[in-house]
Amino acid sequence: MSDILLEAKAVAKHFGGVKALRDVSLTIRRGEVYGLIGPNGAGKTTFFNCMTGLYIPDGGGFVFDGLALQADAPHQAAERGIARTFQNIRLFGNMTAIENVMVGRHVRTKAGVFGAMLMNRRTRDEEAAIRQRALELLHYVDIADRADDLAKNLSYGDQRRLEIARALATEPKLLCLDEPAAGMNATETEELRVLIEGIRNDGTTVLLIEHDVKLVMGLCDRVAVLDYGSLVIEDVPAVVQKDQRVIEAYLGA
Amino acid sequence: MKNWLNPRSTVGIALIAVALIALPFVVGAAGQAWVRILNFAILYVFLALGLNIVVGFAGLLDLGYIAFYAVGAYTWALLASPHFGLHFPVWAILPIGAVLACFFGVLLGSPTLKLRGDYLAIVTLGFGEIVRIFMNNLNSPVNITNGPQGITLIDPVRFGDFSFTGTSQILGLTLGGPQKYYFLLVALAILVIVINVRLQHSRIGRAWQAIREDEIAAKAVGINTRNVKLLAFAMGASFGGIAGGIFAAMQGFVSPESFSLIESIMVLAMVVLGGMGHIPGVILGAVLLTFLPEALRYAVTPVQMALFGKILIDPESLRMLIFGLALVLVMRFKPAGLWPSPERSRELGDKVAEGAK
Ligand SMILES: Nc1ncnc2c1ncn2[C@@H]1O[C@H](COP(=O)(O)OP(=O)(O)OP(=O)(O)O)[C@@H](O)[C@H]1O
Ligand SMILES: [Mg+2]
């Protein structure tokens, strides 16, 4: 097993005249927390969308876990082991918190319509296991007390946590978080840092888009910087922080 | 499932059972015609629950649903009538009808499920019409459907020697044909309701709801949205096919005009007006929308005579006018339906559009 989990090879994406990604190449290693930072509009979310199959790249591609990722196949990305959260939270608002996580188990379970109609032993066991696992995950992200509340009625921070629990339910090898700390206060951000660290320690590789530089530098093993769709640098936080181009990109010089 | 065992719901179920058994006799006192209407109400419950899978659970607007009913009805008509001289037994035709309808569901679904909302509605509408037009014109050069004249002398439902037409004596009770069909329909309806409830609370049911809530998020957690939507189409279509078979057997006659667009719209109205995605609401919608026009048929003329001493407005027009007005009023004052699921009624309050980011 190679220690490289994801390799992006010259990924390009444009929208009309806007070059959102210009031949971005980077590698994520197993077991690390990898930060992806850059100013607004740099192309970070676009990178996520290309990787998870929501956008079809105009050039380049991804190798995940030793095999090429199919473009335009979001459900297959999840099946292969890539889970994500969204910058502007996308929960199933009128489903309860636990149901949201249970939907996350879909890709790792099997029951079909006939199972559902007959409610045979295997279906009932699987359903019980789904619920059990979902509850464990709610405990894991510390919102088990809200299990039966509708997702849309949760507080902002709890919604972010629920989205992470839902993503974890798919048993990802790579968990991609798009600005999970956005809109959180200092305490919530600190709790989030602990959560992400725990996820990494439990063996899941994490790709983190984040504007909170302090959080990124404290948490990530390596960091990549995007600016105007181009990769500026990919290195350990200490090096990235001192890089002249990064400082300029952030100061808009 | 556990709360089925508690005493209060046991009493409730017993009461419902007694009511369901007594109903055809009570209604029968007013004439067999009312028992037939009652049977149609149950048939529409069937149809509405099938469409509810597509529209209510998966959130796909289907305006051609009646086509599957037509497929089921014609399957029965062709396989059990003198038209081709075939007389298949029930246990063979109903599954064939269901499978054929399911096949047509997939046929319609697979090229169209990339479409959404209004676009899907238009395509399904066209599909429904195409099926009806085929039924109307498949009488030459080879006579398959007998065209607009339709197919007559269709076999009733029969189990061995027991036929569902004509009167018979059971347990000392005299049962007319419609009353016998009533019990068959109730039994099937209970089965359909159980299946619906189970589907809704299953892995697939959750996937349907997830797609309805947020398709992009559903994809991102690994739901193969295309297949899961196809499944909704196929399931809904099979229910329609079974209902169609029973319809053909019960009437003894089918013709294309039973499967017009207005029928699709009526079934959709039952789902929406009752409470989309909420099984008890959908049942209520189907029953109300079957009985209301019929009740009006009987009420309009006497009421006019009593009020004005003569018939001022053509009873048929007035009946549809009142019916239409009733629909408008319900949707105006209960936009989530007469009996919506608790979530649905809240949801309508705060649907905010947001872009994909
Ligand atoms: N679907 C789209 N259609 C057109 N342009 C798009 C689309 N998605 C992104 N863009 C453009 O691509 C560029 C990169 O956007 P992206 O959302 O990836 O930035 P980002 O780095 O995530 O920024 P932020 O920090 O604000 O989230 C922007 O100029 C944006 O306007
Ligand atoms: Mg972004």
Side-chain angles (χ1 to χ4, degrees), chain A residues 153-173:
Chain A
N153 295 339
L154 298 189
S155 73
Y156 187 77
D158 286 353
Q159 290 194 359
R160 288 251 178 241
R161 286 170 171 269
L162 179 55
E163 228 192 352
I164 294 174
R166 184 181 69 185
L168 286 174
T170 67
E171 294 173 20
K173 292 179 178 135

Side-chain angles (χ1 to χ4, degrees), chain B residues 199-277:
Chain B
L199 276 178
Q200 184 173 18
H201 299 288
S202 72
R203 168 176 176 265
I204 301 294
R206 276 192 303 271
W208 284 333
Q209 197 184 349
I211 291 175
R212 207 187 75 203
E213 291 283 325
D214 188 330
E215 191 164 347
I216 290 178
K219 282 181 180 163
V221 292
I223 294 174
N224 184 336
T225 52
R226 213 187 81 99
N227 286 0
V228 171
K229 283 187 198 172
L230 258 186
L231 211 52
F233 256 75
M235 289 305 299
S238 317
F239 281 118
I242 294 174
I246 307 275
F247 167 76
M250 212 163 77
Q251 294 285 94
F253 168 71
V254 295
S255 76
E257 70 184 72
S258 305
F259 309 109
S260 56
L261 176 61
I262 188 74
E263 288 290 319
S264 283
I265 293 176
M266 275 303 265
V267 180
L268 185 64
M270 291 167 181
V271 174
V272 174
L273 183 120
M276 240 195 282

Side-chain angles (χ1 to χ4, degrees), chain A residues 41 43-46 87 178-179 209 211, chain B residues 357:
Chain A
K44 305 180 295 292
T45 299
T46 305
Q87 183 168 355
D178 197 345
E179 300 197 22
I209 293 181
H211 275 302
Chain B
K357 227 195 171 182

